[in-house]
Amino acid sequence: MRDRCQECPLPHVNLKLGPGLSELSVARGSGKGSSSQQTVVATRAGILNHSSNRSKWWVEGNSRRYVPAPQESVIGVVSGRSGENWRVDIGAAHPASLDGLAFEGATKRNRPNLKVGSVLYARVSLAHKDMEPELECFDAQTRKADGFGELKGGFVTHCSLQMSRLLLDPKHFLLPLLGSRFPLDVAVGLNGRIWVSTKEAKQTIAVVRCVEAVDPDGGGMDEVSVKKFLGEMEL
Amino acid sequence: MAHGSLRPIKISFDSLAGVDGSARFSFGDTCTALASVSGPIAARPASEHPARATVEVHVRPLSSVPGTAEKLLGSAFKGIIESACLLGQHPRTLIQVVVQALSQPSSALVAAKINACSLALVNAGSIPMRGVVCAVVVGLRTDGNKTEFILDPEDETRLDGTFCFALLFGIISGSFQGKIPPSEVVWMNSRTYKGTSISLDTHKFKLATELARTGATEVWLRMRESLGGFPSTADGEEEMEV
């Protein structure tokens, strides 16, 4: 829970506060002697983590609603068009804007052919609380597609945000376990959406059911139970 | 004089589908409320605020359609939630809270609704909060010159009046020592049952407030326990060396 609502005055310039931590002005004393001091306060329930050199701190909690943050990879669904840009739904409060030319090798004459309902894997390039989020379909440094772009076919399912972070961790057991059973194409968006593409429908259903079972929100099944669960399905 | 103890508190997280967070809170067996929270989500252009999130609270009674009393409670809860959440981090969005009564109306049910809202907001995890609001009811019985305050009374009709206190536990002011954060009263509602008005001097009111604070502290500890924290963490929390 709000692990240690501890006070921590901010003397250090290098301290970076991640999600779940905020600087708040706290009044000290009362009446005439009061003065305001900046204090670090946890604003979400979860486990307090820090980087190895103790310069970055954050609270690891779980939630279902995505709040856009820059440089995060998300799965979006095109919901409309406004001029040159596409309106993409990424599950946040506001729809995101994707420039029609924000693809690798796109020119005015050679544009990707998107439609309303197309599924995309994109990177959030701009996420500010006062502005609509913006997406791009290429890697920031290399300017190449690198997996971003339209995802054709497949099936999109939802999960909690912590589950998407777990799936993106190379040490997590689930995706390698499923990949060892059948060929699998998966894209994981940090906005709680997963795109799955397999040869047979029952394999897609198996993936979706396993993701739901392993989700910390829906029970948090461990590896042994998942193996048993998969064994019960006729794959 | 002030006495009494809370009925056993039951907290559960229902994981309702279609919303971002939900929680159920009860005082004993006969006073349960369920709350759900969705947010930050898209707001109607008419109700969006350019600098902060808009909070909308819908209160649903146990039976029949919501009426004026529910509207009043809804606007009171809106104020409480706005004091607990940091709304400036999500401008032009909406935080939608729906509270469902699962028992007959009473002052304790109002307290249970506030507690359910707080838990649902923490469960959602997407709205930053400066603290958690915990509410309890303090009953009042007058006997000539003597006034008696009872914490979380079970049968309210036998009393002369009840107070419902909502306290925000968080770092608002002052320093934080020990395991329990400081609390301040953010909302108070009172009602009388015998038709006569009751007057209290500041000293007696302060007694009632402090009794409510002890009750709310216990509610806070149970909430923390239900969210995965341990009420009895070892003393000597590590200094955060940064």
Side-chain angles (χ1 to χ4, degrees), chain A residues 54-76:
Chain A
R54 293 191 154 223
S55 64
K56 298 192 179 92
W57 293 75
W58 69 93
V59 176
E60 185 87 37
N62 198 5
S63 60
R64 291 187 193 171
R65 175 71 47 184
Y66 178 61
V67 171
Q71 309 315 321
E72 290 195 340
S73 311
V74 294
I75 290 179

Side-chain angles (χ1 to χ4, degrees), chain A residues 1-2 5-7 12 22 24 26-27 42-45 48 54 57 62-65 67 93-94 129-131, chain B residues 16 19-20 40-42 86 88-89 91-93 122 124 128-129 171 173-176 224 227 237 240-242:
Chain A
M1 161 101 186
R2 190 181 308 287
C5 283
Q6 263 208 355
E7 287 191 340
H12 291 261
S22 267
L24 288 185
V26 164
T43 57
R44 161 201 307 191
L48 184 64
R54 293 191 154 223
W57 293 75
N62 198 5
S63 60
R64 291 187 193 171
R65 175 71 47 184
V67 171
H94 305 286
K129 63 185 174 112
D130 294 317
M131 301 199 279
Chain B
L16 293 176
V19 291
D20 298 336
I41 56 177
L86 296 169
Q89 295 189 11
R92 299 170 299 117
T93 61
V122 178
M129 297 172 73
I171 319 277
S173 60
S175 61
F176 175 28
R224 186 189 165 107
L227 287 159
E237 301 181 327
M240 290 221 296
E241 285 159 37
V242 288

Side-chain angles (χ1 to χ4, degrees), chain B residues 10-17 19 21-26 31-37 57-62 77 97-103 109-121 123:
Chain B
K10 283 199 267 284
I11 293 171
S12 64
F13 297 99
D14 294 47
S15 292
L16 293 176
V19 291
S22 61
R24 198 185 283 239
F25 186 95
S26 33
C31 189
T32 316
L34 172 64
S36 78
V37 162
V57 182
H58 302 273
V59 180
R60 308 234 166 97
L62 179 63
F77 294 170
V97 180
V98 179
V99 187
Q100 172 70 58
L102 295 174
S103 307
L109 184 64
V110 175
K113 285 174 183 169
I114 295 171
N115 293 329
C117 282
S118 292
L119 282 167
L121 282 165
N123 182 246

Side-chain angles (χ1 to χ4, degrees), chain B residues 82-159:
Chain B
E82 285 176 355
S83 68
C85 298
L86 296 169
L87 299 174
Q89 295 189 11
H90 298 285
R92 299 170 299 117
T93 61
L94 173 69
I95 294 164
Q96 191 176 65
V97 180
V98 179
V99 187
Q100 172 70 58
L102 295 174
S103 307
Q104 296 294 338
S106 63
S107 292
L109 184 64
V110 175
K113 285 174 183 169
I114 295 171
N115 293 329
C117 282
S118 292
L119 282 167
L121 282 165
V122 178
N123 182 246
S126 44
I127 302 139
M129 297 172 73
R130 62 160 53 89
V132 177
V133 179
C134 301
V136 284
V137 167
V138 170
L140 166 70
R141 193 181 285 142
T142 51
D143 186 13
N145 271 341
K146 288 197 293 187
T147 45
E148 191 189 342
F149 291 115
I150 307 148
L151 179 64
D152 193 26
E154 195 146 346
D155 188 1
E156 289 172 16
T157 48
R158 296 238 186 107
L159 304 166

